[in-house]
Amino acid sequence: MFHLFCQKSIYRAAIKCKVVVQKETFLKRNPMHGTWRRSFNAEHTCLESRALPIIHHVKYICDLPENHRFPMGKFPKVLESLLRDQVITDKQVWAPKIASTELLRRVHTEEYLSNFISGEISEKDQRRTGFQWSSGLVQRCRYETGGTVLAGEIAVQRGLACSTAGGTHHAFPSYGSGFCLLNDLAVAAKHLMGESTSRRRILIVDLDVHQGDGTAFIFKDEPDVFTFSVHCGKNFPVRKQQSDLDVSLEDGIEDKEYLSKGIVHTK
């Protein structure tokens, strides 16, 4: 009886092994299949879902002083609205890992990262960012950056992915500015280029009312990253950087004119 049980176990193991081998062969021949990538910078994945991946983490938020003007609550509200309106289901929601210091070093200086993570930030620098330093703020920014990195990894494989936070385009390599402490866009772009065995070119389209000055500065000498910013000309930052393509708009512009400006500049 024991011998028969062993035979059955070996048989099942052999069948399972054959299925795994066949699956691995299929993935090698079909690199765009959902589980092709060996690993993601993720705490939670939804590999079985073929729907649009949504990246979110409960640590995208942190406590701020009472009446602070930054709308921290918008990040969970985006996810809540998508779920409530049945635009997505929870089976589409991935959770990123916190961005490692190794990832962050691709863009930010060692000195800045050390000071930011340890809290050795001067009052002047804190005023420039608009945030009072806290360990929770550091954690939030690192998870947010990890979310953009994860969205980029998934998008390379599946074609599209969205994160409910990110876009911190005012952060420079050695300092933060305008509610932006880590440049998630730049970190993700550097990561995706660095992990590719072949040349990878990246387009960053920034449609915020403010120019993406930090991102433009970071990639000003990088031929494989094209920075495109459409923004209000008379708005923050006062001192603009030079993107590869800047479209400066007047206050109060309406939809039709906005779209026509974009068509003119991209022809």
Side-chain angles (χ1 to χ4, degrees), residues 83-99:
L83 291 169
R84 183 183 63 249
D85 296 344
Q86 299 182 348
V87 177
I88 65 169
T89 70
D90 57 2
K91 296 186 182 301
Q92 296 171 239
V93 183
W94 299 51
K97 288 182 180 178
I98 193 169

Side-chain angles (χ1 to χ4, degrees), residues 75 155 230:
F75 303 119
V230 182

Side-chain angles (χ1 to χ4, degrees), residues 8-228:
K8 287 183 178 179
S9 298
I10 293 170
Y11 177 74
R12 288 181 187 136
I15 293 296
K16 184 177 180 181
C17 181
K18 182 179 180 181
V19 170
V20 170
V21 170
Q22 287 177 337
K23 185 175 181 181
E24 289 178 347
T25 303
F26 171 78
L27 295 177
K28 289 176 182 178
R29 293 176 181 173
N30 300 271
M32 293 307 290
H33 188 266
T35 55
W36 169 56
R37 187 183 178 91
R38 288 190 298 274
S39 64
F40 291 92
N41 280 289
E43 289 181 1
H44 173 71
T45 63
C46 297
L47 296 172
E48 69 283 356
S49 174
R50 303 307 301 157
L52 173 67
I54 303 297
I55 319 304
H56 181 79
H57 203 289
V58 295
K59 294 178 181 176
Y60 275 178
I61 62 173
C62 68
D63 292 332
L64 292 178
E66 190 176 357
N67 298 321
H68 195 283
R69 63 194 181 98
F70 184 80
M72 187 66 73
K74 64 183 178 180
F75 303 119
K77 286 180 180 178
V78 169
L79 182 68
E80 290 165 9
S81 295
L82 292 171
L83 291 169
R84 183 183 63 249
D85 296 344
Q86 299 182 348
V87 177
I88 65 169
T89 70
D90 57 2
K91 296 186 182 301
Q92 296 171 239
V93 183
W94 299 51
K97 288 182 180 178
I98 193 169
S100 66
T101 53
E102 181 182 358
L103 271 174
L104 301 178
R105 284 192 200 104
R106 292 179 179 270
V107 170
H108 296 285
T109 65
E110 188 72 44
E111 181 181 10
Y112 174 63
L113 286 177
S114 176
N115 291 340
F116 172 60
I117 292 172
S118 64
E120 298 178 12
I121 304 293
S122 69
E123 288 188 15
K124 179 183 176 181
D125 287 340
Q126 289 183 63
R127 286 196 299 271
R128 179 164 54 188
T129 66
F131 287 124
Q132 182 178 344
W133 184 90
S134 71
S135 58
L137 181 65
V138 174
Q139 178 180 256
R140 189 207 84 76
C141 293
R142 292 180 66 179
Y143 269 107
E144 178 179 52
T145 302
T148 304
V149 168
L150 177 58
E153 290 177 342
I154 300 170
V156 166
Q157 176 182 318
R158 298 195 176 188
L160 183 64
C162 302
S163 180
T164 58
T168 48
H169 56 180
H170 298 311
F172 284 71
S174 59
Y175 63 90
S177 176
F179 298 136
C180 302
L181 297 127
L182 300 171
N183 197 308
D184 65 305
L185 299 164
V187 171
K190 288 277 192 179
H191 168 66
L192 293 175
M193 291 191 297
E195 72 162 11
S196 178
T197 55
S198 58
R199 184 181 183 186
R200 177 172 283 165
R201 304 188 69 188
I202 292 176
L203 167 65
I204 296 178
V205 180
D206 192 331
L207 305 180
D208 190 74
V209 68
H210 308 125
Q211 191 213 29
D213 56 334
T215 312
F217 177 84
I218 290 166
F219 292 117
K220 62 181 180 178
D221 298 318
E222 175 52 73
D224 289 335
V225 176
F226 190 95
T227 54
F228 173 33

